[in-house]
Amino acid sequence: MKLIKEEHPEIGGLRPTSLFYGQSKATSQERRNQLCRLRSFVFHDDFQQPRGRQVQILYTGSLHWVLATNYHEYERELVYVYDSLEEPVTELLVAKIAAVFRFANPKFRIVWPVVDQQKNNKDCGIFAIAFLVALCHKFDPSSLSFDSSMKLRKHLVRCFEAGSFSLTDLFPTRANPADVQRSLPGKLFNMVSQSVAQARRRIVLRDRSVHVICRCRMPVGKGAKDKTVICSNLLCTVRLYHESCVVIFDREFYAKIQRKYYTCPPCRDILLGY
């Protein structure tokens, strides 16, 4: 991640994957701790919504890695997930995606385009990196068909040995986009590739709408202890908060009112005329 981030500063995200680590098969307490770690990551950024194109490799929580990005639709509340194994979607993955992008609107969409699939159960990390490098080279991952696992691994080793992903070609594909580009005039290639990419992105494996709440802009927890707090101001733009978030950013006031008739800080400022 660090190498690619240094070479492509125009692309946002690319944070260490350890920030979003967590297992989906966990006890209720472990799951709450995982969500608290995700929310504390948001608090560390002072609730600021990331701007521009964001790309992040994420661990789904079930021995699998995927690439999540708004690269194609960064001005909309739309996230593409490139998944080389088409595994069932975990709630932990949805929470991680929400923590990465933190959309201001109460709803956003996640779509899973059809992409090239790995031939075993251990190449998901390599495919996630290959999808990421393709985006950095301005190719749509859904339009690529990658070569054998061994060639992908050898290419990844060469990149690490060279200390760069930009000094080398794309990950080996069965039809190299660079070869096609050289065989067509520049403008014609751009028109064809954009049309093909848009058509491929419309072929969606899954489509999910996610509702988010609170200042952390994450979904409602589904556990018995994942409580929510309602702001007493009917005109509040957020209205619903995670209790675990409130006790972090508004601990003193929440304890003072003994968890009754809560009013969030922005609404208190408005009511007091600040």
Side-chain angles (χ1 to χ4, degrees), residues 246-247 250-260 262 268:
V246 173
V247 298
D250 205 10
R251 180 187 296 272
E252 293 184 4
F253 180 79
Y254 194 53
K256 181 179 179 181
I257 63 172
Q258 299 179 352
R259 304 186 178 187
K260 296 179 180 179
Y262 175 72
R268 292 205 301 271

Side-chain angles (χ1 to χ4, degrees), residues 18 31 153 163 187 264 272:
S18 58
R31 187 172 54 79
R153 290 175 179 275
K187 291 184 177 180
C264 67
L272 293 175

Side-chain angles (χ1 to χ4, degrees), residues 4 8 10-11 14 71 131-139:
I4 299 176
H8 297 276
E10 74 281 2
I11 298 179
L14 298 175
Y71 187 92
F131 294 150
L132 171 57
V133 173
L135 282 176
C136 292
H137 286 81
K138 299 183 179 180
F139 289 106

